[in-house]
Coordinates of all heavy atoms in Angstrom, one line a residue:
A22 N 15.7 -7.2 -14.6 CA 15.1 -6.8 -13.4 C 14.2 -5.5 -13.6 O 14.5 -4.6 -14.4 CB 16.2 -6.4 -12.4
R23 N 13.1 -5.5 -12.9 CA 12.2 -4.3 -12.9 C 12.7 -3.2 -12.0 O 13.4 -3.5 -11.0 CB 10.8 -4.7 -12.4 CG 10.1 -5.7 -13.2 CD 8.8 -6.2 -12.5 NE 9.2 -7.2 -11.5 CZ 8.3 -7.8 -10.8 NH1 7.1 -7.7 -11.0 NH2 8.8 -8.7 -9.9
H24 N 12.5 -2.0 -12.5 CA 12.7 -0.8 -11.6 C 11.5 0.1 -11.6 O 10.8 0.1 -12.6 CB 14.0 -0.1 -12.2 CG 15.2 -0.9 -12.0 ND1 15.9 -1.1 -10.8 CD2 15.9 -1.6 -12.9 CE1 16.9 -1.9 -11.0 NE2 17.0 -2.2 -12.3
L25 N 11.3 0.8 -10.6 CA 10.2 1.6 -10.4 C 10.4 2.9 -11.2 O 10.8 3.9 -10.7 CB 9.9 1.9 -9.0 CG 8.5 2.6 -8.7 CD1 7.4 1.7 -9.2 CD2 8.4 2.9 -7.2
E26 N 10.1 2.9 -12.5 CA 10.2 4.0 -13.4 C 9.2 3.9 -14.5 O 8.7 2.8 -14.7 CB 11.7 4.2 -13.9 CG 12.2 2.9 -14.6 CD 13.7 2.9 -14.9 OE1 14.4 3.7 -14.2 OE2 14.1 2.2 -15.7
G27 N 9.0 4.9 -15.2 CA 8.1 4.9 -16.4 C 6.7 4.3 -16.1 O 6.0 4.7 -15.2
E28 N 6.4 3.2 -16.9 CA 5.1 2.6 -16.8 C 4.8 2.0 -15.4 O 3.7 2.1 -14.9 CB 5.0 1.5 -17.8 CG 3.7 0.9 -18.1 CD 3.7 -0.1 -19.2 OE1 4.2 0.2 -20.3 OE2 3.2 -1.2 -19.0
Y29 N 5.8 1.4 -14.8 CA 5.6 0.9 -13.4 C 5.2 2.0 -12.4 O 4.3 1.8 -11.6 CB 6.9 0.1 -13.0 CG 7.1 -1.2 -13.6 CD1 8.3 -1.4 -14.3 CD2 6.2 -2.2 -13.6 CE1 8.6 -2.6 -14.9 CE2 6.4 -3.4 -14.3 CZ 7.7 -3.6 -14.9 OH 7.9 -4.9 -15.5
K30 N 5.9 3.1 -12.5 CA 5.6 4.2 -11.6 C 4.2 4.7 -11.8 O 3.5 5.0 -10.9 CB 6.6 5.3 -11.7 CG 6.5 6.4 -10.6 CD 7.5 7.5 -10.7 CE 8.8 7.1 -10.2 NZ 9.8 8.2 -10.1
T31 N 3.8 4.9 -13.1 CA 2.5 5.4 -13.4 C 1.4 4.4 -12.9 O 0.4 4.8 -12.4 CB 2.4 5.5 -15.0 OG1 3.3 6.4 -15.4 CG2 1.0 6.0 -15.4
E32 N 1.6 3.0 -13.1 CA 0.7 2.1 -12.6 C 0.5 2.1 -11.1 O -0.5 2.1 -10.6 CB 1.1 0.7 -13.0 CG 0.9 0.4 -14.5 CD 1.3 -1.1 -14.8 OE1 1.0 -2.0 -14.0 OE2 2.0 -1.3 -15.9
L33 N 1.7 2.3 -10.4 CA 1.7 2.3 -9.0 C 0.9 3.5 -8.5 O 0.0 3.4 -7.6 CB 3.1 2.3 -8.4 CG 3.2 2.4 -6.9 CD1 2.6 1.2 -6.2 CD2 4.6 2.6 -6.4
E34 N 1.1 4.7 -9.1 CA 0.4 5.9 -8.6 C -1.0 5.8 -8.8 O -1.8 6.4 -8.1 CB 1.0 7.1 -9.3 CG 2.5 7.4 -8.8 CD 3.3 8.4 -9.6 OE1 2.8 8.8 -10.7 OE2 4.4 8.8 -9.2
K35 N -1.5 5.0 -9.8 CA -3.0 4.9 -10.0 C -3.6 4.0 -8.9 O -4.8 4.2 -8.6 CB -3.2 4.1 -11.3 CG -3.0 4.9 -12.6 CD -3.3 4.2 -13.8 CE -2.9 5.0 -15.0 NZ -3.1 4.1 -16.3
I36 N -2.9 3.1 -8.3 CA -3.5 2.3 -7.3 C -3.3 2.7 -5.8 O -3.8 2.1 -4.9 CB -3.0 0.8 -7.4 CG1 -1.5 0.6 -7.2 CG2 -3.5 0.2 -8.7 CD1 -1.0 -0.8 -7.3
L37 N -2.4 3.7 -5.6 CA -2.1 4.2 -4.3 C -3.3 4.9 -3.7 O -4.0 5.6 -4.4 CB -0.9 5.1 -4.3 CG 0.4 4.5 -4.6 CD1 1.5 5.6 -4.7 CD2 0.8 3.5 -3.5
P38 N -3.5 4.7 -2.4 CA -4.7 5.4 -1.7 C -4.4 6.9 -1.7 O -3.3 7.3 -1.6 CB -4.6 4.8 -0.3 CG -3.2 4.3 -0.1 CD -2.7 3.9 -1.4
K39 N -5.5 7.6 -1.8 CA -5.4 9.1 -1.7 C -5.0 9.5 -0.2 O -4.3 10.5 0.1 CB -6.6 9.8 -2.1 CG -7.1 9.5 -3.5 CD -6.0 10.0 -4.5 CE -6.5 9.6 -5.9 NZ -5.4 9.1 -6.7
D40 N -5.5 8.7 0.7 CA -5.2 8.8 2.2 C -3.9 8.2 2.5 O -3.8 7.0 2.6 CB -6.4 8.2 2.9 CG -6.2 8.3 4.4 OD1 -5.3 9.0 4.9 OD2 -7.1 7.7 5.2
K41 N -2.9 9.0 2.7 CA -1.6 8.5 3.0 C -1.5 8.0 4.4 O -0.4 7.4 4.8 CB -0.5 9.6 2.9 CG -0.3 10.0 1.4 CD 0.8 10.9 1.2 CE 1.0 11.2 -0.3 NZ 2.2 12.1 -0.5
D42 N -2.5 8.1 5.2 CA -2.5 7.5 6.6 C -2.9 6.1 6.5 O -2.7 5.3 7.5 CB -3.5 8.2 7.5 CG -3.0 9.7 7.9 OD1 -1.8 9.9 7.9 OD2 -3.8 10.5 8.1
K43 N -3.4 5.6 5.4 CA -3.8 4.2 5.3 C -2.5 3.4 5.2 O -1.6 3.8 4.4 CB -4.7 4.0 4.1 CG -5.3 2.6 4.1 CD -6.6 2.7 3.3 CE -7.4 1.4 3.4 NZ -8.2 1.3 4.6
G44 N -2.3 2.3 5.9 CA -1.1 1.5 5.8 C -1.0 0.7 4.6 O -2.0 0.3 4.0
I45 N 0.2 0.4 4.2 CA 0.5 -0.4 3.0 C 1.4 -1.6 3.4 O 2.4 -1.4 4.0 CB 1.1 0.4 1.9 CG1 0.2 1.6 1.4 CG2 1.5 -0.5 0.7 CD1 0.8 2.5 0.4
V46 N 0.9 -2.8 3.1 CA 1.7 -4.0 3.3 C 2.1 -4.4 2.0 O 1.4 -4.7 1.1 CB 0.8 -5.1 4.0 CG1 1.7 -6.4 4.1 CG2 0.3 -4.6 5.3
I47 N 3.5 -4.6 1.8 CA 4.0 -5.1 0.5 C 4.5 -6.5 0.7 O 5.3 -6.8 1.6 CB 5.2 -4.2 0.1 CG1 4.8 -2.7 0.0 CG2 5.8 -4.7 -1.3 CD1 6.0 -1.8 -0.2
S48 N 3.9 -7.4 -0.1 CA 4.3 -8.8 0.0 C 4.9 -9.2 -1.3 O 4.4 -8.8 -2.4 CB 3.1 -9.7 0.3 OG 2.5 -9.3 1.5
H49 N 5.9 -10.0 -1.3 CA 6.6 -10.4 -2.6 C 6.8 -11.9 -2.5 O 6.9 -12.5 -1.4 CB 8.0 -9.7 -2.7 CG 8.9 -10.0 -1.6 ND1 9.7 -11.1 -1.5 CD2 9.2 -9.3 -0.4 CE1 10.4 -11.1 -0.4 NE2 10.1 -10.0 0.3
I50 N 6.8 -12.5 -3.7 CA 7.1 -14.0 -3.8 C 8.6 -14.1 -3.4 O 9.3 -13.1 -3.4 CB 6.8 -14.5 -5.2 CG1 7.6 -13.9 -6.2 CG2 5.3 -14.4 -5.5 CD1 7.6 -14.7 -7.5
S51 N 9.0 -15.3 -3.1 CA 10.3 -15.5 -2.6 C 11.3 -15.7 -3.7 O 11.9 -16.8 -3.9 CB 10.3 -16.7 -1.7 OG 9.5 -16.5 -0.5
D52 N 11.5 -14.7 -4.5 CA 12.6 -14.7 -5.5 C 13.3 -13.3 -5.4 O 12.8 -12.4 -5.0 CB 12.2 -15.1 -6.9 CG 11.6 -14.0 -7.8 OD1 12.0 -12.8 -7.6 OD2 10.8 -14.3 -8.6
A53 N 14.6 -13.4 -5.7 CA 15.4 -12.2 -5.4 C 15.0 -11.0 -6.2 O 15.0 -9.9 -5.7 CB 16.9 -12.5 -5.8
E54 N 14.6 -11.1 -7.4 CA 14.1 -10.0 -8.3 C 12.9 -9.4 -7.7 O 12.8 -8.1 -7.6 CB 13.9 -10.5 -9.7 CG 13.7 -9.3 -10.7 CD 12.3 -8.7 -10.7 OE1 11.3 -9.4 -10.3 OE2 12.2 -7.6 -11.2
A55 N 11.9 -10.2 -7.3 CA 10.6 -9.7 -6.7 C 10.9 -8.9 -5.4 O 10.3 -7.9 -5.1 CB 9.6 -10.8 -6.5
K56 N 11.8 -9.5 -4.6 CA 12.2 -8.9 -3.3 C 12.8 -7.5 -3.5 O 12.5 -6.5 -2.9 CB 13.1 -9.8 -2.5 CG 13.5 -9.3 -1.2 CD 14.4 -10.3 -0.4 CE 14.7 -9.7 0.9 NZ 15.6 -10.7 1.7
Q57 N 13.7 -7.5 -4.5 CA 14.4 -6.2 -4.8 C 13.4 -5.2 -5.2 O 13.5 -4.0 -4.8 CB 15.5 -6.4 -5.9 CG 16.2 -5.2 -6.4 CD 15.4 -4.6 -7.6 OE1 14.8 -5.3 -8.4 NE2 15.4 -3.3 -7.6
F58 N 12.5 -5.6 -6.1 CA 11.5 -4.6 -6.6 C 10.6 -4.2 -5.5 O 10.2 -3.0 -5.4 CB 10.7 -5.3 -7.7 CG 9.7 -4.4 -8.5 CD1 10.2 -3.2 -9.0 CD2 8.4 -4.7 -8.8 CE1 9.4 -2.3 -9.7 CE2 7.6 -3.9 -9.5 CZ 8.1 -2.7 -10.0
A59 N 10.2 -5.1 -4.6 CA 9.4 -4.7 -3.4 C 10.0 -3.6 -2.5 O 9.4 -2.7 -2.1 CB 9.0 -5.9 -2.6
Y60 N 11.3 -3.8 -2.3 CA 12.0 -2.8 -1.5 C 12.3 -1.5 -2.2 O 12.3 -0.4 -1.6 CB 13.3 -3.4 -1.0 CG 13.1 -4.2 0.3 CD1 12.9 -5.6 0.2 CD2 13.0 -3.6 1.5 CE1 12.7 -6.3 1.4 CE2 12.8 -4.3 2.7 CZ 12.6 -5.7 2.6 OH 12.3 -6.4 3.7
E61 N 12.3 -1.5 -3.6 CA 12.4 -0.3 -4.3 C 11.1 0.5 -4.2 O 11.1 1.7 -4.1 CB 12.7 -0.6 -5.8 CG 13.1 0.5 -6.7 CD 13.7 0.1 -8.0 OE1 14.4 -0.9 -8.1 OE2 13.3 0.8 -9.0
I62 N 10.0 -0.3 -4.3 CA 8.7 0.3 -4.1 C 8.5 0.9 -2.7 O 8.1 2.0 -2.5 CB 7.5 -0.7 -4.4 CG1 7.5 -1.0 -5.9 CG2 6.2 -0.2 -3.9 CD1 6.6 -2.2 -6.2
K63 N 9.0 0.2 -1.7 CA 8.9 0.7 -0.3 C 9.7 2.0 -0.2 O 9.2 2.9 0.5 CB 9.6 -0.4 0.6 CG 9.6 0.1 2.1 CD 10.6 -0.7 2.9 CE 10.8 -0.2 4.3 NZ 11.4 1.1 4.4
D64 N 10.9 2.1 -0.7 CA 11.7 3.3 -0.6 C 11.0 4.5 -1.3 O 11.0 5.5 -0.7 CB 13.1 3.1 -1.3 CG 14.0 2.1 -0.6 OD1 13.7 1.9 0.7 OD2 15.0 1.7 -1.1
Y65 N 10.3 4.2 -2.4 CA 9.6 5.3 -3.1 C 8.4 5.7 -2.3 O 8.2 6.9 -2.1 CB 9.1 4.8 -4.5 CG 8.2 5.7 -5.2 CD1 8.7 6.8 -5.9 CD2 6.8 5.5 -5.2 CE1 7.9 7.7 -6.6 CE2 6.0 6.4 -5.8 CZ 6.5 7.5 -6.5 OH 5.7 8.4 -7.1
L66 N 7.7 4.8 -1.7 CA 6.5 5.1 -0.9 C 7.0 5.9 0.4 O 6.3 6.9 0.8 CB 5.7 3.9 -0.5 CG 5.1 3.2 -1.7 CD1 4.4 1.9 -1.3 CD2 4.1 4.1 -2.4
D67 N 8.1 5.4 1.0 CA 8.6 6.1 2.2 C 8.9 7.6 1.9 O 8.5 8.5 2.6 CB 9.9 5.5 2.7 CG 9.6 4.3 3.6 OD1 8.5 4.1 4.1 OD2 10.6 3.4 3.7
K68 N 9.6 7.8 0.7 CA 10.0 9.2 0.3 C 8.8 10.0 0.0 O 8.9 11.3 0.1 CB 10.9 9.1 -0.9 CG 12.3 8.6 -0.5 CD 13.1 8.4 -1.8 CE 14.5 7.8 -1.5 NZ 15.2 7.5 -2.6
N69 N 7.6 9.4 -0.3 CA 6.5 10.2 -0.7 C 5.4 10.2 0.4 O 4.3 10.6 0.2 CB 5.9 9.7 -2.0 CG 6.8 10.1 -3.1 OD1 6.7 11.2 -3.6 ND2 7.6 9.2 -3.6
G70 N 5.8 9.9 1.6 CA 5.0 10.1 2.8 C 3.9 9.0 3.1 O 3.0 9.2 3.9
Y71 N 4.0 7.9 2.4 CA 3.1 6.8 2.7 C 3.5 6.0 3.9 O 4.7 5.9 4.2 CB 3.0 5.9 1.5 CG 2.1 6.5 0.4 CD1 2.8 7.2 -0.6 CD2 0.8 6.4 0.4 CE1 2.1 7.8 -1.6 CE2 0.1 7.0 -0.6 CZ 0.7 7.7 -1.7 OH 0.0 8.2 -2.6
K72 N 2.6 5.4 4.6 CA 2.9 4.6 5.8 C 3.0 3.2 5.4 O 2.1 2.5 5.0 CB 1.7 4.8 6.7 CG 1.8 4.0 8.0 CD 0.5 4.2 8.9 CE 0.3 3.1 9.8 NZ -1.0 3.3 10.5
I73 N 4.3 2.6 5.5 CA 4.6 1.3 5.2 C 4.4 0.5 6.5 O 5.1 0.7 7.5 CB 5.9 1.1 4.6 CG1 6.2 2.0 3.4 CG2 6.2 -0.4 4.3 CD1 5.2 1.8 2.3
V74 N 3.5 -0.5 6.5 CA 3.3 -1.3 7.7 C 4.3 -2.5 7.8 O 4.9 -2.7 8.8 CB 1.9 -1.9 7.7 CG1 1.7 -2.9 8.9 CG2 0.9 -0.8 7.7
D75 N 4.6 -3.1 6.6 CA 5.5 -4.3 6.5 C 5.9 -4.5 5.1 O 5.1 -4.2 4.2 CB 4.8 -5.5 7.2 CG 5.7 -6.6 7.5 OD1 6.9 -6.4 7.5 OD2 5.2 -7.7 7.9
V76 N 7.0 -5.2 4.9 CA 7.4 -5.8 3.7 C 7.8 -7.2 4.0 O 8.6 -7.5 4.9 CB 8.7 -5.1 3.1 CG1 9.1 -5.8 1.8 CG2 8.4 -3.6 2.8
R77 N 7.1 -8.2 3.4 CA 7.3 -9.6 3.8 C 7.2 -10.5 2.5 O 6.6 -10.2 1.5 CB 6.3 -10.0 4.8 CG 4.8 -9.9 4.3 CD 3.8 -10.2 5.3 NE 3.1 -9.1 5.7 CZ 2.1 -9.0 6.6 NH1 1.7 -10.1 7.2 NH2 1.5 -7.9 6.8
A78 N 7.7 -11.7 2.7 CA 7.6 -12.7 1.7 C 6.2 -13.4 1.7 O 5.7 -13.6 2.8 CB 8.7 -13.7 1.8
I79 N 5.7 -13.8 0.6 CA 4.5 -14.6 0.5 C 4.9 -16.0 0.6 O 5.7 -16.5 -0.2 CB 3.8 -14.4 -0.9 CG1 3.4 -12.9 -1.0 CG2 2.6 -15.3 -1.0 CD1 2.9 -12.6 -2.4
L80 N 4.5 -16.7 1.7 CA 4.9 -18.0 2.0 C 4.0 -19.1 1.4 O 4.4 -20.3 1.5 CB 5.1 -18.2 3.5 CG 6.1 -17.2 4.1 CD1 6.1 -17.3 5.6 CD2 7.5 -17.3 3.5
Q81 N 2.9 -18.8 1.0 CA 2.0 -19.8 0.4 C 1.1 -19.3 -0.7 O 1.1 -18.0 -0.9 CB 1.1 -20.3 1.5 CG 0.2 -19.3 2.3 CD -0.5 -19.9 3.4 OE1 -0.7 -21.1 3.5 NE2 -1.0 -19.0 4.3
G82 N 0.4 -20.1 -1.4 CA -0.4 -19.6 -2.5 C 0.2 -19.9 -3.8 O 1.4 -20.3 -3.9
D83 N -0.5 -19.7 -4.9 CA 0.0 -20.0 -6.2 C 0.9 -18.8 -6.7 O 0.6 -17.6 -6.4 CB -1.2 -20.1 -7.2 CG -2.0 -21.3 -6.9 OD1 -1.5 -22.3 -6.4 OD2 -3.2 -21.2 -7.1
P84 N 2.0 -19.2 -7.4 CA 2.9 -18.2 -7.9 C 2.1 -17.3 -9.0 O 1.2 -17.8 -9.6 CB 4.0 -18.9 -8.5 CG 3.7 -20.4 -8.5 CD 2.4 -20.5 -7.7
F85 N 2.5 -16.1 -9.2 CA 1.8 -15.2 -10.1 C 2.9 -14.3 -10.7 O 3.9 -14.1 -10.2 CB 0.7 -14.5 -9.5 CG 1.1 -13.6 -8.4 CD1 1.3 -12.2 -8.7 CD2 1.2 -14.0 -7.1 CE1 1.7 -11.4 -7.7 CE2 1.6 -13.2 -6.1 CZ 1.8 -11.8 -6.4
N86 N 2.6 -13.7 -11.9 CA 3.4 -12.8 -12.5 C 2.9 -11.3 -12.3 O 1.8 -11.1 -12.1 CB 3.5 -13.0 -14.0 CG 4.2 -14.3 -14.3 OD1 5.1 -14.7 -13.7 ND2 3.8 -15.0 -15.4
G87 N 3.8 -10.4 -12.4 CA 3.4 -9.0 -12.2 C 3.2 -8.5 -10.8 O 3.9 -9.0 -9.9
W88 N 2.2 -7.7 -10.7 CA 1.9 -7.2 -9.4 C 0.4 -6.9 -9.3 O -0.3 -6.7 -10.4 CB 2.7 -6.0 -8.9 CG 2.6 -4.8 -9.9 CD1 2.1 -4.7 -11.1 CD2 3.1 -3.5 -9.6 NE1 2.2 -3.5 -11.6 CE2 2.9 -2.7 -10.7 CE3 3.8 -3.0 -8.5 CZ2 3.2 -1.4 -10.8 CZ3 4.1 -1.6 -8.6 CH2 3.9 -0.9 -9.7
R89 N -0.2 -6.8 -8.2 CA -1.6 -6.6 -8.0 C -1.9 -6.1 -6.6 O -1.1 -6.3 -5.7 CB -2.4 -7.8 -8.4 CG -2.2 -9.0 -7.5 CD -3.0 -10.2 -8.0 NE -2.7 -11.3 -7.1 CZ -2.4 -12.5 -7.4 NH1 -2.3 -12.8 -8.7 NH2 -2.2 -13.5 -6.6
V90 N -3.1 -5.6 -6.5 CA -3.5 -5.2 -5.1 C -4.3 -6.3 -4.6 O -5.1 -6.9 -5.2 CB -4.4 -3.9 -5.2 CG1 -5.0 -3.6 -3.8 CG2 -3.6 -2.7 -5.8
G91 N -3.9 -6.7 -3.3 CA -4.6 -7.8 -2.7 C -5.8 -7.4 -1.9 O -6.2 -6.2 -2.0
P92 N -6.5 -8.3 -1.2 CA -7.7 -7.9 -0.5 C -7.4 -6.9 0.6 O -6.3 -7.0 1.3 CB -8.2 -9.2 0.1 CG -7.0 -10.2 0.0 CD -6.1 -9.6 -1.1
E93 N -8.2 -5.8 0.7 CA -7.9 -4.8 1.6 C -8.7 -5.1 2.9 O -9.9 -5.5 2.8 CB -8.4 -3.5 1.0 CG -8.2 -2.3 1.9 CD -8.6 -0.9 1.1 OE1 -8.6 -1.0 -0.1 OE2 -8.8 0.0 1.8
D94 N -8.1 -4.8 4.0 CA -8.8 -4.9 5.3 C -9.2 -3.5 5.7 O -9.0 -2.6 4.9 CB -8.1 -5.7 6.4 CG -6.8 -5.1 6.7 OD1 -6.6 -3.9 6.6 OD2 -5.8 -5.8 7.2
N95 N -9.7 -3.3 6.9 CA -10.1 -2.0 7.3 C -9.0 -1.0 7.6 O -9.2 0.2 7.8 CB -11.1 -2.1 8.5 CG -10.5 -2.7 9.7 OD1 -9.4 -3.2 9.6 ND2 -11.2 -2.7 10.8
R96 N -7.8 -1.5 7.6 CA -6.7 -0.6 8.0 C -5.6 -0.5 6.9 O -4.9 0.5 6.8 CB -6.0 -1.1 9.3 CG -6.8 -1.0 10.5 CD -6.1 -1.5 11.7 NE -5.3 -2.7 11.5 CZ -5.6 -3.9 11.7 NH1 -6.9 -4.2 12.1 NH2 -4.8 -4.9 11.5
N97 N -5.4 -1.6 6.1 CA -4.2 -1.7 5.3 C -4.6 -2.0 3.8 O -5.5 -2.8 3.6 CB -3.2 -2.7 5.8 CG -2.7 -2.4 7.1 OD1 -2.4 -1.3 7.5 ND2 -2.7 -3.4 8.0
I98 N -3.8 -1.5 2.9 CA -3.8 -1.9 1.5 C -2.7 -3.0 1.3 O -1.6 -2.7 1.8 CB -3.7 -0.7 0.6 CG1 -4.9 0.1 0.7 CG2 -3.4 -1.2 -0.8 CD1 -4.8 1.4 -0.1
K99 N -2.9 -4.0 0.6 CA -1.9 -5.0 0.3 C -1.5 -5.0 -1.1 O -2.3 -5.1 -2.0 CB -2.5 -6.4 0.7 CG -2.8 -6.5 2.1 CD -3.5 -7.8 2.5 CE -3.9 -7.8 3.9 NZ -4.9 -8.8 4.2
L100 N -0.2 -4.7 -1.3 CA 0.4 -4.7 -2.6 C 1.2 -6.0 -2.8 O 2.2 -6.3 -2.0 CB 1.3 -3.5 -2.8 CG 2.0 -3.3 -4.1 CD1 0.9 -3.1 -5.2 CD2 2.8 -2.0 -4.1
L101 N 0.8 -6.8 -3.7 CA 1.5 -8.1 -4.0 C 2.4 -8.0 -5.2 O 2.0 -7.7 -6.2 CB 0.4 -9.2 -4.2 CG -0.7 -9.3 -3.1 CD1 -1.8 -10.2 -3.5 CD2 -0.1 -9.6 -1.8
I102 N 3.7 -8.4 -5.0 CA 4.6 -8.4 -6.0 C 5.0 -9.8 -6.5 O 5.4 -10.6 -5.7 CB 6.0 -7.7 -5.5 CG1 5.7 -6.4 -4.9 CG2 6.9 -7.6 -6.7 CD1 5.0 -5.4 -5.7
G103 N 4.7 -10.2 -7.7 CA 4.9 -11.5 -8.3 C 6.2 -11.5 -9.1 O 7.0 -10.5 -9.1
S104 N 6.4 -12.6 -9.8 CA 7.6 -12.7 -10.7 C 7.6 -11.7 -11.8 O 6.5 -11.2 -12.2 CB 7.6 -14.1 -11.3 OG 7.7 -15.1 -10.3
N105 N 8.7 -11.5 -12.3 CA 8.9 -10.6 -13.5 C 8.4 -11.3 -14.7 O 8.7 -12.5 -14.9 CB 10.4 -10.2 -13.6 CG 10.6 -9.1 -14.6 OD1 9.7 -8.5 -15.1 ND2 11.8 -8.7 -14.8
I106 N 7.7 -10.6 -15.5 CA 7.1 -11.3 -16.7 C 7.9 -10.8 -18.0 O 7.3 -10.1 -18.9 CB 5.6 -11.0 -16.9 CG1 5.2 -9.6 -16.5 CG2 4.8 -12.0 -16.1 CD1 3.8 -9.3 -16.7
N107 N 9.1 -11.1 -18.1 CA 9.9 -10.8 -19.3 C 9.9 -11.9 -20.3 O 9.9 -13.1 -20.0 CB 11.3 -10.4 -19.0 CG 11.4 -9.0 -18.5 OD1 10.5 -8.2 -18.8 ND2 12.5 -8.7 -17.8

């Protein structure tokens, strides 16, 4: 299982918006590990003053590994959490 520490935390901090007023939507694929990691990220962002709009499951689309930033709209940044790549 992934945990938000070390390399993962460094990667996350690189992609976070400088403007903490911008909303973040965290979407995870429907597996228990990805969901747990998404909520760990949510807790970290909450503690650091970011605005979390939603945490939700990705219900369609191709499965993917790792994590990435999804398409941004004018209000929110989308953080997509895929499967663990061990």
Side-chain angles (χ1 to χ4, degrees):
R23 292 171 284 186
H24 294 286
L25 191 59
E26 56 193 19
E28 190 176 309
Y29 288 123
K30 188 181 280 187
T31 300
E32 285 181 42
L33 178 64
E34 289 170 352
K35 287 180 186 176
I36 62 174
L37 289 174
K39 302 298 180 221
D40 178 5
K41 290 187 178 183
D42 289 331
K43 193 153 186 85
I45 299 175
V46 176
I47 303 171
S48 299
H49 60 84
I50 63 165
S51 295
D52 80 31
E54 192 277 338
K56 182 178 181 180
Q57 173 273 322
F58 191 49
Y60 277 94
E61 195 170 318
I62 291 169
K63 176 199 176 291
D64 290 344
Y65 173 79
L66 296 175
D67 278 341
K68 289 177 186 172
N69 286 282
Y71 286 92
K72 177 179 156 189
I73 306 302
V74 175
D75 196 8
V76 178
R77 63 181 112 178
I79 299 171
L80 302 175
Q81 57 186 343
D83 295 328
F85 62 95
N86 291 327
W88 59 349
R89 62 183 182 227
V90 176
E93 184 175 336
D94 61 29
N95 61 352
R96 295 181 320 268
N97 301 313
I98 291 175
K99 296 173 185 164
L100 182 58
L101 308 173
I102 310 298
S104 297
N105 191 4
I106 41 177
N107 277 340

